[in-house]
Amino acid sequence: FLMGVVGEDQERGTLLNELRVRKINAEGIVMDDSRPTIQKTRVLSKNQQLLRVDYEKSHKTTSVIENKLITYLQRLIPEVDIIIISDYAKGLITANLMEEIKKLAKTNDKKVIVDPRPINKEFYKDVYLITPNASEAERMAKADANTDKEFEELSKNLAESLNSNIIITRGPKGMLIFENENTISLPTKAKDVYDVSG
């Protein structure tokens, strides 16, 4: 299942058609005529992205849109195994919406995993798992970390302040997992990547 907001424009039709073709349930996509459907145009050369142009408005979702999404979630959450929120700080995820999601998740015994944006840090308190990258974790913790030890301390402090488990992805340095007072560092093997979306 998918949830989001689109504009009243041609791009909305393109997106909904692509979801339909792929048999992805788009029932949770709500139209908001105060914003365009977000569009990202990538300029490539020899499979290397040179730049990206975004067309968007990122103002906070209105209470009318928020209520439509909450009504949808009330029906949806009992049917799903887990709730994954990818917050792009475009205005869709609000404090009120997150509180409703957390309340519904608790009532229905579901876990909430959040790919966060530092600006919305306080929204994520008490979710099951938060997965920031290194830079997002530093901004959320308002601290710099360079060494493994500093990242361990940062993850512990962040987990305690948000009452959540934390996985910090660190690119070629792997990831750091802080769960139930334990820190686990997982290394990775670097690879040449030409397309980050792959």
Side-chain angles (χ1 to χ4, degrees):
F1 297 95
L2 189 63
M3 187 180 84
V5 177
V6 293
E8 189 175 3
D9 50 30
Q10 182 178 338
E11 289 73 25
R12 173 192 64 162
T14 301
L15 174 63
L16 293 177
N17 185 57
E18 289 297 320
L19 293 172
R20 202 169 15 259
V21 166
R22 288 166 174 74
K23 296 184 169 104
I24 297 172
N25 185 323
E27 203 180 328
I29 304 289
V30 177
M31 194 181 71
D32 180 352
D33 59 9
S34 73
R35 69 177 79 222
T37 301
I38 294 175
Q39 184 179 0
K40 298 175 185 299
T41 304
R42 299 172 196 277
V43 179
L44 305 173
S45 174
K46 297 181 183 176
N47 293 327
Q48 186 71 38
Q49 179 175 312
L50 301 177
L51 64 107
R52 189 180 84 190
V53 180
D54 295 357
Y55 302 92
E56 64 187 26
K57 286 186 181 176
S58 56
H59 56 276
K60 184 180 167 188
T61 300
T62 66
S63 59
V64 171
I65 299 293
E66 200 174 65
N67 288 333
K68 285 181 182 179
L69 295 170
I70 289 168
T71 300
Y72 172 70
L73 288 167
Q74 287 168 339
R75 285 191 350 259
L76 175 70
I77 287 178
E79 298 177 30
V80 301
D81 296 320
I82 198 158
I83 302 157
I84 300 172
I85 298 169
S86 190
D87 186 359
Y88 286 88
K90 304 297 182 192
L92 175 68
I93 304 298
T94 62
N96 185 50
L97 184 62
M98 272 305 301
E99 284 307 311
E100 285 296 323
I101 290 169
K102 289 188 286 188
K103 187 168 60 174
L104 287 165
K106 186 174 183 180
T107 300
N108 291 280
D109 195 29
K110 310 292 180 179
K111 291 183 169 121
V112 179
I113 298 173
V114 179
D115 178 17
R117 284 301 171 266
I119 194 170
N120 292 336
K121 170 188 169 184
E122 295 305 316
F123 297 179
Y124 315 133
K125 190 174 171 91
D126 301 320
V127 301
Y128 174 72
L129 175 64
I130 303 171
T131 63
N133 62 33
S135 143
E136 290 166 339
E138 288 175 315
R139 289 195 312 257
M140 289 171 77
K142 295 185 176 149
D144 290 329
N146 297 305
T147 66
D148 290 345
K149 187 75 176 154
E150 288 173 343
F151 264 107
E152 284 180 26
E153 191 62 30
L154 183 144
S155 69
K156 179 183 178 191
N157 292 340
L158 203 52
E160 288 174 356
S161 71
L162 295 174
N163 191 34
S164 301
N165 298 306
I166 303 284
I167 294 179
I168 301 175
T169 55
R170 299 175 62 202
K173 293 184 177 178
M175 65 174 92
L176 195 66
I177 302 168
F178 189 85
E179 180 182 22
N180 300 326
E181 303 294 320
N182 296 312
T183 305
I184 302 165
S185 182
L186 296 178
T188 189
K189 293 179 182 171
K191 292 185 178 183
D192 288 329
V193 177
Y194 295 98
D195 178 0
V196 293
S197 64

